């Protein structure tokens, strides 16, 4: 029997968590706890693609190493698929630490925004920044994310709010995607806030998004998805529907900031449009949960946002899982509501605040988050044919990753079969 060539091998993984078997459809209910754990596992790759994975004896029999192969001893530790962060705003200028005092004093997120701060503060800084400045800032944050185990991340525009500045942001995302190891998935979020100059006429801004921004983004092929911040005082359900329908006509698939603070029916709209994901859902209705459970839409939950907003009400993850909603987790990294870019912190919060079990959390930050980005055929699990994106953690049991909190446990991050 001829052996499979491999130029990369990780062996002696005490727990090789493959999350295998769910590349076609996202996991629901009890499937979330099925994480394909292999004891004393080995993974082999060639040219960045996994060629063999499983128990040591089996894989070692199948593969033959090339002369220059990289061989890594995991030292009995935990190995997971590279983490997939399906909701971030990682490209922006400036920062908003001054909001911390306002929030401690009890001021709400939407109140800060209504006074021209919040997102609009970051819009001012981002408009003033050149593309190179955005790329430099984004690179720093992506370095931090990669070092903490994130190998694929979605990135939204939405701090430009003019055609030129939105295109500038997405061009920065493209430049980062082409020059940084983290794979980036671009989303157009021109409808992130009503800019000050359109405050008296929000519908004119919606027209600008539909008639000018979307065609410009589509022309350059700058975004795969389109998102809208559907929220009280931001964009209504009807405005969100119009924007996402127009985006879909131009080939951009819908995503939605849904029911984050006020229950407006965002989840229901996401389902109606067949959106790839409905994100936040802290204020989702019972009907919204019921509809999500019967849909293809992945519910992306962002517990670091609730934590940083000092919110009392987390998204009802347990109820969603029990009713059959496909649940994923993301950081929502942004300069306002979630200055958190560590998926490990999100994982710790998911156990403590969402009452998700550690195995469910593993699925929610790997294969289900890949589904929330339409990337499940390529990443999110350790299976033959997929990208060799994996992380060796300084842990002997995967539950230790959620048990510890706030320390980066990623020891070695491997992207497309290369240590980064
Ligand atoms: O900059 O505040 N929720 N958009 C919707 C955000 C948070 C990002 C921000
Ligand atoms: Zn967001």
């Amino acid at each position: 029997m001829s052996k499979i060539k491999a130029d990369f091998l990780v062996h002696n993984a005490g727990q090789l968590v493959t999350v295998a078997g769910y590349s076609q459809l996202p996991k629901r209910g009890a499937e979330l706890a099925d994480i394909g754990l292999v004891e004393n596992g080995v993974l082999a790759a060639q040219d960045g693609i996994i060629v063999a994975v499983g128990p040591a004896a089996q894989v070692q029999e199948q593969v033959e190493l090339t002369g220059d192969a990289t061989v890594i001893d995991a030292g009995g530790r935990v190995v997971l698929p590279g983490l997939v962060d399906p909701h971030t705003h990682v490209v922006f200028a400036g920062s908003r630490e001054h909001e911390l005092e306002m929030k401690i004093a009890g001021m709400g997120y939407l109140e800060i925004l209504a006074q021209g701060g919040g997102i609009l503060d970051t819009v001012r800084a981002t408009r003033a920044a050149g593309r190179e400045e955005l790329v430099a800032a984004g690179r720093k944050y992506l370095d931090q994310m990669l070092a903490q185990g994130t190998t694929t991340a979605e990135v939204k525009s939405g701090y430009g709010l003019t055609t030129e500045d939105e295109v500038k942001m997405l061009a920065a995302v493209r430049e980062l995607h082409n020059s940084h190891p983290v794979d980036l998935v671009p989303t157009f979020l021109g409808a992130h806030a009503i800019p000050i100059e359109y405050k008296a006429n929000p519908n004119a801004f919606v027209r600008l998004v539909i008639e000018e921004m979307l065609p410009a983004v589509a022309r350059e092929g700058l975004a795969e998805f389109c998102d809208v911040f559907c929220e009280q005082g931001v964009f209504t359900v009807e405005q969100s529907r119009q924007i996402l329908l127009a985006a879909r006509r131009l080939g951009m698939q819908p995503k939605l900031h849904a029911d984050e603070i006020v229950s407006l029916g965002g989840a229901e709209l996401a389902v109606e449009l067949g959106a790839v994901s409905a994100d936040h859902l802290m204020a989702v209705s019972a009907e919204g949960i019921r509809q999500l459970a019967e849909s293809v839409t992945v519910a992306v939950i962002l517990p670091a946002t609730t934590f940083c907003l000092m919110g009392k009400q987390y998204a009802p993850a347990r109820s969603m899982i029990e009713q059959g909603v496909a649940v994923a987790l993301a950081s929502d990294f942004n300069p306002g509501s979630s200055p958190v870019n560590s998926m490990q912190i999100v994982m710790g919060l998911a156990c403590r605040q969402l009452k998700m079990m550690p195995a469910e959390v593993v699925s929610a930050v790997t294969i289900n988050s890949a589904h929330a980005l339409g990337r499940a055929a390529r990443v999110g699990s350790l299976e033959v044919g997929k990208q060799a994106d994996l992380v060796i953690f300084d842990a002997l049991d995967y539950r230790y990753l959620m048990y510890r909190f706030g320390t980066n446990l990623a020891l070695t991050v491997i992207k497309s079969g290369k240590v980064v």
Side-chain angles (χ1 to χ4, degrees):
M1 192 184 92
S2 77
K3 293 199 168 191
I4 310 164
K5 277 205 167 13
D7 60 15
F8 174 87
L9 186 94
V10 173
H11 65 103
N12 196 15
Q15 293 187 343
L16 181 66
V17 181
T18 65
V19 204
Y22 297 91
S23 297
Q24 301 296 325
L25 291 171
K27 295 179 166 202
R28 297 169 194 276
E31 294 170 350
L32 283 160
D34 173 20
I35 57 173
L37 193 153
V38 177
E39 280 175 10
N40 189 19
V42 172
L43 179 144
Q46 171 71 21
D47 294 328
I49 303 294
I50 299 171
V51 292
V53 56
Q58 180 191 314
V59 174
Q60 261 140 9
E61 205 165 277
Q62 288 175 351
V63 303
E64 179 178 19
L65 292 178
T66 59
D68 58 350
T70 303
V71 176
I72 301 174
D73 181 350
R77 296 187 184 87
V78 170
V79 175
L80 245 61
L83 306 178
V84 178
D85 188 344
H87 182 139
T88 87
H89 306 250
V90 67
V91 169
F92 59 86
S95 69
R96 290 172 15 211
E97 57 272 18
H98 57 276
E99 287 180 10
L100 185 55
E101 286 153 339
M102 298 166 150
K103 286 175 189 155
I104 293 167
M107 202 163 166
Y109 176 81
L110 293 176
E111 211 179 334
I112 298 171
L113 177 61
Q115 294 187 2
I119 296 171
L120 295 173
D121 214 49
T122 304
V123 168
R124 280 186 286 275
T126 303
R127 283 179 176 176
R131 183 166 60 97
E132 285 318 308
E133 190 180 333
L134 295 178
V135 168
R139 192 180 304 286
K140 181 179 76 175
Y141 299 127
L142 288 172
D143 285 346
Q144 295 166 353
M145 289 160 69
L146 185 67
Q148 297 176 94
T150 298
T151 50
T152 298
E154 186 246 20
V155 188
K156 300 174 195 297
S157 68
Y159 294 123
L161 310 187
T162 66
T163 303
E164 190 189 343
D165 291 303
E166 287 294 305
V167 166
K168 175 180 76 181
M169 280 192 76
L170 289 169
V173 174
R174 175 173 284 180
E175 187 174 333
L176 285 163
H177 175 71
N178 290 332
S179 62
H180 195 279
V182 176
D183 276 334
L184 298 180
V185 179
T187 296
F188 169 66
L189 178 59
H192 189 195
I194 309 283
I196 307 269
E197 60 275 20
Y198 281 91
K199 205 171 173 188
N201 195 356
N203 279 322
F205 183 69
V206 172
R207 279 199 299 279
L208 179 76
V209 170
I210 293 175
E211 289 166 15
E212 193 181 291
M213 292 188 195
L214 274 170
V217 169
R219 207 158 35 239
E220 310 265 333
L222 285 168
E224 209 168 305
F225 297 101
C226 178
D227 191 349
V228 175
F229 188 17
C230 179
E231 184 57 73
Q232 190 170 80
V234 194
F235 294 93
T236 65
V237 168
E238 187 47 33
Q239 289 169 334
S240 305
R241 181 186 284 114
Q242 293 313 320
I243 292 165
L244 293 174
L245 285 172
R248 200 162 63 189
R249 286 193 289 273
L250 293 167
M252 281 170 257
Q253 296 310 306
K255 277 183 165 281
L256 192 65
H257 279 69
D259 303 323
E260 176 178 354
I261 297 160
V262 180
S263 185
L264 293 183
E268 291 89 329
L269 177 64
V271 171
E272 173 194 319
L273 297 174
V276 67
S277 71
D279 303 34
H280 282 295
L281 304 169
M282 277 138 69
V284 67
S285 68
E287 175 61 16
I289 297 178
R290 201 189 60 71
Q291 291 193 19
L292 281 169
E294 284 169 11
S295 76
V296 297
T297 303
V298 177
V300 177
I301 303 181
L302 309 136
T305 307
T306 320
F307 181 77
C308 292
L309 290 177
M310 306 175 205
K312 285 179 187 63
Q313 193 191 341
Y314 283 77
R318 264 297 21 113
S319 164
M320 288 194 232
I321 291 169
E322 270 141 35
Q323 291 184 61
V325 177
V327 166
L329 291 161
S331 71
D332 195 19
F333 178 56
N334 75 71
S337 60
S338 178
V340 173
N341 61 10
S342 163
M343 286 297 276
Q344 293 176 55
I345 288 183
V346 171
M347 291 158 75
L349 285 171
C351 286
R352 292 174 180 87
Q353 304 291 358
L354 303 177
K355 307 290 185 253
M356 286 175 69
M357 290 295 171
E360 295 173 328
V361 169
V362 166
S363 299
V365 297
T366 56
I367 195 68
N368 272 17
S369 47
H371 277 291
L373 293 180
R375 284 289 190 284
R378 211 188 297 173
V379 298
S381 64
L382 302 177
E383 296 178 80
V384 171
K386 284 194 156 184
Q387 222 163 270
D389 294 357
L390 48 145
V391 186
I392 303 173
F393 285 101
D394 191 8
L396 300 174
D397 184 309
Y398 73 89
R399 292 171 297 190
Y400 187 76
L401 301 177
M402 297 83 182
Y403 170 68
R404 285 289 303 275
F405 191 80
T407 300
N408 179 19
L409 297 172
L411 269 189
T412 309
V413 181
I414 293 131
K415 178 73 200 166
S416 295
K418 296 208 160 49
V419 175
V420 288

Short mmCIF file of all heavy atoms in Angstrom, two decimals, residues 78-118:
data_model
loop_
_atom_site.label_atom_id
_atom_site.label_comp_id
_atom_site.label_asym_id
_atom_site.label_seq_id
_atom_site.Cartn_x
_atom_site.Cartn_y
_atom_site.Cartn_z
N VAL A 78 -3.77 19.48 24.60
CA VAL A 78 -5.02 19.58 23.83
C VAL A 78 -4.75 20.26 22.49
O VAL A 78 -4.06 21.29 22.45
CB VAL A 78 -6.05 20.41 24.62
CG1 VAL A 78 -7.26 20.75 23.77
CG2 VAL A 78 -6.45 19.69 25.90
N VAL A 79 -5.29 19.70 21.42
CA VAL A 79 -5.22 20.33 20.10
C VAL A 79 -6.65 20.54 19.59
O VAL A 79 -7.47 19.62 19.62
CB VAL A 79 -4.42 19.46 19.11
CG1 VAL A 79 -4.45 20.07 17.71
CG2 VAL A 79 -2.98 19.29 19.58
N LEU A 80 -6.92 21.76 19.15
CA LEU A 80 -8.25 22.13 18.65
C LEU A 80 -8.13 22.67 17.23
O LEU A 80 -7.06 23.17 16.85
CB LEU A 80 -8.83 23.25 19.52
CG LEU A 80 -10.07 22.99 20.36
CD1 LEU A 80 -9.82 21.89 21.36
CD2 LEU A 80 -10.48 24.25 21.10
N PRO A 81 -9.22 22.65 16.46
CA PRO A 81 -9.19 23.38 15.19
C PRO A 81 -8.91 24.85 15.47
O PRO A 81 -9.27 25.35 16.55
CB PRO A 81 -10.62 23.21 14.65
CG PRO A 81 -11.20 22.04 15.38
CD PRO A 81 -10.53 22.02 16.73
N GLY A 82 -8.29 25.55 14.55
CA GLY A 82 -8.11 27.00 14.69
C GLY A 82 -9.46 27.63 14.97
O GLY A 82 -10.47 27.25 14.38
N LEU A 83 -9.49 28.59 15.89
CA LEU A 83 -10.77 29.19 16.28
C LEU A 83 -11.27 30.12 15.17
O LEU A 83 -10.48 30.82 14.53
CB LEU A 83 -10.61 29.95 17.59
CG LEU A 83 -10.01 29.13 18.75
CD1 LEU A 83 -9.86 29.98 20.00
CD2 LEU A 83 -10.86 27.89 19.04
N VAL A 84 -12.58 30.11 14.96
CA VAL A 84 -13.21 30.94 13.93
C VAL A 84 -14.06 31.99 14.65
O VAL A 84 -14.97 31.64 15.40
CB VAL A 84 -14.09 30.07 12.99
CG1 VAL A 84 -14.77 30.95 11.95
CG2 VAL A 84 -13.23 28.99 12.32
N ASP A 85 -13.74 33.25 14.44
CA ASP A 85 -14.47 34.35 15.10
C ASP A 85 -15.39 34.99 14.05
O ASP A 85 -14.94 35.75 13.19
CB ASP A 85 -13.46 35.38 15.64
CG ASP A 85 -14.13 36.44 16.50
OD1 ASP A 85 -15.36 36.56 16.45
OD2 ASP A 85 -13.40 37.15 17.22
N PRO A 86 -16.70 34.68 14.10
CA PRO A 86 -17.59 35.07 12.99
C PRO A 86 -18.25 36.45 13.10
O PRO A 86 -19.16 36.74 12.32
CB PRO A 86 -18.65 33.96 13.04
CG PRO A 86 -18.76 33.64 14.49
CD PRO A 86 -17.40 33.86 15.10
N HIS A 87 -17.80 37.28 14.04
CA HIS A 87 -18.38 38.64 14.13
C HIS A 87 -17.35 39.56 14.78
O HIS A 87 -17.16 39.51 15.99
CB HIS A 87 -19.67 38.58 14.96
CG HIS A 87 -20.41 39.89 15.09
ND1 HIS A 87 -21.78 39.99 15.00
CD2 HIS A 87 -19.97 41.16 15.29
CE1 HIS A 87 -22.15 41.24 15.16
NE2 HIS A 87 -21.06 41.99 15.35
N THR A 88 -16.69 40.38 13.97
CA THR A 88 -15.76 41.38 14.53
C THR A 88 -15.86 42.68 13.73
O THR A 88 -16.34 42.70 12.59
CB THR A 88 -14.27 40.94 14.50
OG1 THR A 88 -13.69 41.31 13.25
CG2 THR A 88 -14.08 39.47 14.75
N HIS A 89 -15.39 43.73 14.39
CA HIS A 89 -15.24 45.04 13.75
C HIS A 89 -13.76 45.42 13.94
O HIS A 89 -13.44 46.42 14.57
CB HIS A 89 -16.12 46.09 14.43
CG HIS A 89 -17.58 45.73 14.55
ND1 HIS A 89 -18.56 46.38 13.82
CD2 HIS A 89 -18.24 44.83 15.32
CE1 HIS A 89 -19.76 45.88 14.15
NE2 HIS A 89 -19.59 44.95 15.05
N VAL A 90 -12.86 44.59 13.44
CA VAL A 90 -11.45 44.72 13.83
C VAL A 90 -10.71 45.87 13.15
O VAL A 90 -9.65 46.28 13.60
CB VAL A 90 -10.72 43.35 13.66
CG1 VAL A 90 -10.62 42.95 12.23
CG2 VAL A 90 -9.36 43.35 14.30
N VAL A 91 -11.30 46.40 12.06
CA VAL A 91 -10.65 47.54 11.39
C VAL A 91 -11.33 48.84 11.82
O VAL A 91 -12.50 49.07 11.55
CB VAL A 91 -10.70 47.35 9.85
CG1 VAL A 91 -10.29 48.63 9.14
CG2 VAL A 91 -9.80 46.19 9.42
N PHE A 92 -10.59 49.68 12.53
CA PHE A 92 -11.11 50.98 12.98
C PHE A 92 -9.94 51.84 13.42
O PHE A 92 -8.83 51.34 13.63
CB PHE A 92 -12.09 50.80 14.16
CG PHE A 92 -11.51 50.11 15.37
CD1 PHE A 92 -10.83 50.83 16.35
CD2 PHE A 92 -11.63 48.73 15.52
CE1 PHE A 92 -10.29 50.19 17.46
CE2 PHE A 92 -11.09 48.09 16.64
CZ PHE A 92 -10.42 48.82 17.61
N ALA A 93 -10.19 53.14 13.56
CA ALA A 93 -9.16 54.04 14.10
C ALA A 93 -9.63 54.53 15.46
O ALA A 93 -10.83 54.56 15.76
CB ALA A 93 -8.95 55.21 13.15
N GLY A 94 -8.68 54.94 16.28
CA GLY A 94 -9.00 55.51 17.60
C GLY A 94 -9.43 54.45 18.59
O GLY A 94 -9.29 53.25 18.35
N SER A 95 -9.96 54.90 19.73
CA SER A 95 -10.50 53.98 20.73
C SER A 95 -11.45 54.78 21.62
O SER A 95 -11.53 56.00 21.51
CB SER A 95 -9.39 53.33 21.54
OG SER A 95 -8.77 54.29 22.35
N ARG A 96 -12.17 54.08 22.48
CA ARG A 96 -13.25 54.75 23.22
C ARG A 96 -13.21 54.48 24.71
O ARG A 96 -14.23 54.29 25.34
CB ARG A 96 -14.61 54.35 22.62
CG ARG A 96 -14.76 54.94 21.26
CD ARG A 96 -15.92 54.54 20.39
NE ARG A 96 -17.05 53.86 20.85
CZ ARG A 96 -17.76 53.00 20.09
NH1 ARG A 96 -17.38 52.73 18.84
NH2 ARG A 96 -18.82 52.42 20.57
N GLU A 97 -12.01 54.52 25.28
CA GLU A 97 -11.92 54.23 26.71
C GLU A 97 -12.65 55.28 27.56
O GLU A 97 -13.03 54.99 28.69
CB GLU A 97 -10.45 54.09 27.16
CG GLU A 97 -9.55 55.26 26.89
CD GLU A 97 -8.91 55.18 25.50
OE1 GLU A 97 -9.39 54.44 24.64
OE2 GLU A 97 -7.91 55.89 25.30
N HIS A 98 -12.86 56.48 26.98
CA HIS A 98 -13.61 57.50 27.75
C HIS A 98 -15.04 57.06 28.04
O HIS A 98 -15.67 57.57 28.96
CB HIS A 98 -13.61 58.84 27.00
CG HIS A 98 -14.18 58.74 25.61
ND1 HIS A 98 -13.43 58.34 24.52
CD2 HIS A 98 -15.43 58.94 25.15
CE1 HIS A 98 -14.21 58.32 23.45
NE2 HIS A 98 -15.42 58.68 23.81
N GLU A 99 -15.55 56.09 27.24
CA GLU A 99 -16.92 55.62 27.49
C GLU A 99 -17.03 54.77 28.75
O GLU A 99 -18.13 54.58 29.28
CB GLU A 99 -17.42 54.78 26.30
CG GLU A 99 -17.73 55.60 25.08
CD GLU A 99 -18.21 54.72 23.93
OE1 GLU A 99 -18.47 53.51 24.12
OE2 GLU A 99 -18.31 55.25 22.81
N LEU A 100 -15.90 54.27 29.21
CA LEU A 100 -15.95 53.38 30.38
C LEU A 100 -16.55 54.11 31.58
O LEU A 100 -17.42 53.59 32.28
CB LEU A 100 -14.54 52.85 30.69
CG LEU A 100 -14.42 51.82 31.82
CD1 LEU A 100 -15.32 50.61 31.58
CD2 LEU A 100 -12.97 51.35 31.97
N GLU A 101 -16.10 55.34 31.78
CA GLU A 101 -16.62 56.11 32.92
C GLU A 101 -18.12 56.39 32.76
O GLU A 101 -18.89 56.35 33.72
CB GLU A 101 -15.83 57.42 33.07
CG GLU A 101 -14.45 57.17 33.65
CD GLU A 101 -13.42 58.22 33.25
OE1 GLU A 101 -13.62 58.91 32.23
OE2 GLU A 101 -12.40 58.32 33.96
N MET A 102 -18.53 56.69 31.51
CA MET A 102 -19.96 56.94 31.26
C MET A 102 -20.77 55.70 31.58
O MET A 102 -21.85 55.77 32.18
CB MET A 102 -20.18 57.29 29.79
CG MET A 102 -19.47 58.55 29.33
SD MET A 102 -19.52 58.52 27.52
CE MET A 102 -19.53 60.21 27.15
N LYS A 103 -20.25 54.54 31.17
CA LYS A 103 -21.00 53.29 31.37
C LYS A 103 -21.05 52.95 32.86
O LYS A 103 -22.09 52.49 33.35
CB LYS A 103 -20.35 52.15 30.57
CG LYS A 103 -20.64 52.26 29.08
CD LYS A 103 -19.90 51.19 28.29
CE LYS A 103 -20.02 51.44 26.80
NZ LYS A 103 -18.91 50.83 26.03
N ILE A 104 -19.94 53.16 33.56
CA ILE A 104 -19.94 52.89 35.01
C ILE A 104 -20.98 53.77 35.70
O ILE A 104 -21.70 53.34 36.60
CB ILE A 104 -18.54 53.12 35.62
CG1 ILE A 104 -17.55 52.07 35.08
CG2 ILE A 104 -18.58 53.07 37.15
CD1 ILE A 104 -16.09 52.36 35.36
N ALA A 105 -21.09 55.01 35.21
CA ALA A 105 -22.06 55.95 35.81
C ALA A 105 -23.49 55.63 35.41
O ALA A 105 -24.43 56.28 35.85
CB ALA A 105 -21.69 57.38 35.41
N GLY A 106 -23.67 54.64 34.53
CA GLY A 106 -25.03 54.17 34.24
C GLY A 106 -25.58 54.58 32.89
O GLY A 106 -26.75 54.33 32.59
N MET A 107 -24.76 55.23 32.06
CA MET A 107 -25.27 55.67 30.76
C MET A 107 -25.34 54.48 29.80
O MET A 107 -24.42 53.66 29.75
CB MET A 107 -24.31 56.72 30.21
CG MET A 107 -24.94 57.62 29.19
SD MET A 107 -23.90 59.09 29.03
CE MET A 107 -24.56 59.76 27.54
N GLY A 108 -26.41 54.40 29.03
CA GLY A 108 -26.61 53.26 28.13
C GLY A 108 -25.87 53.42 26.81
O GLY A 108 -25.58 54.55 26.38
N TYR A 109 -25.63 52.30 26.17
CA TYR A 109 -24.93 52.28 24.87
C TYR A 109 -25.68 53.13 23.83
O TYR A 109 -25.07 53.94 23.12
CB TYR A 109 -24.81 50.82 24.42
CG TYR A 109 -24.20 50.65 23.05
CD1 TYR A 109 -22.82 50.69 22.88
CD2 TYR A 109 -24.99 50.43 21.93
CE1 TYR A 109 -22.25 50.53 21.63
CE2 TYR A 109 -24.43 50.27 20.68
CZ TYR A 109 -23.07 50.31 20.53
OH TYR A 109 -22.51 50.16 19.30
N LEU A 110 -27.01 52.96 23.75
CA LEU A 110 -27.78 53.68 22.74
C LEU A 110 -27.89 55.18 23.08
O LEU A 110 -28.01 56.02 22.19
CB LEU A 110 -29.18 53.06 22.58
CG LEU A 110 -29.20 51.64 21.97
CD1 LEU A 110 -30.62 51.08 21.95
CD2 LEU A 110 -28.59 51.62 20.57
N GLU A 111 -27.82 55.47 24.38
CA GLU A 111 -27.86 56.87 24.83
C GLU A 111 -26.58 57.60 24.38
O GLU A 111 -26.63 58.74 23.89
CB GLU A 111 -27.93 56.84 26.36
CG GLU A 111 -28.65 57.96 27.03
CD GLU A 111 -28.63 57.77 28.56
OE1 GLU A 111 -28.51 56.63 29.06
OE2 GLU A 111 -28.70 58.81 29.25
N ILE A 112 -25.45 56.93 24.53
CA ILE A 112 -24.17 57.51 24.11
C ILE A 112 -24.19 57.75 22.60
O ILE A 112 -23.79 58.81 22.10
CB ILE A 112 -22.98 56.58 24.50
CG1 ILE A 112 -22.90 56.42 26.04
CG2 ILE A 112 -21.66 57.10 23.94
CD1 ILE A 112 -21.91 55.37 26.52
N LEU A 113 -24.73 56.79 21.86
CA LEU A 113 -24.82 56.90 20.40
C LEU A 113 -25.75 58.06 20.01
O LEU A 113 -25.41 58.87 19.13
CB LEU A 113 -25.33 55.58 19.81
CG LEU A 113 -25.55 55.52 18.29
CD1 LEU A 113 -24.24 55.78 17.53
CD2 LEU A 113 -26.13 54.18 17.86
N ALA A 114 -26.90 58.17 20.69
CA ALA A 114 -27.87 59.22 20.36
C ALA A 114 -27.28 60.61 20.58
O ALA A 114 -27.68 61.58 19.94
CB ALA A 114 -29.13 59.03 21.19
N GLN A 115 -26.29 60.71 21.46
CA GLN A 115 -25.65 62.01 21.72
C GLN A 115 -24.47 62.28 20.78
O GLN A 115 -23.67 63.19 21.00
CB GLN A 115 -25.20 62.08 23.17
CG GLN A 115 -26.39 62.07 24.12
CD GLN A 115 -26.00 62.31 25.57
OE1 GLN A 115 -24.84 62.53 25.90
NE2 GLN A 115 -26.99 62.28 26.45
N GLY A 116 -24.32 61.42 19.76
CA GLY A 116 -23.26 61.65 18.78
C GLY A 116 -21.94 61.00 19.15
O GLY A 116 -20.92 61.20 18.49
N GLY A 117 -21.94 60.18 20.22
CA GLY A 117 -20.72 59.45 20.60
C GLY A 117 -20.80 58.03 20.10
O GLY A 117 -21.43 57.74 19.08
N GLY A 118 -20.16 57.11 20.81
CA GLY A 118 -20.22 55.69 20.46
C GLY A 118 -19.69 55.44 19.06
O GLY A 118 -18.61 55.90 18.70
#
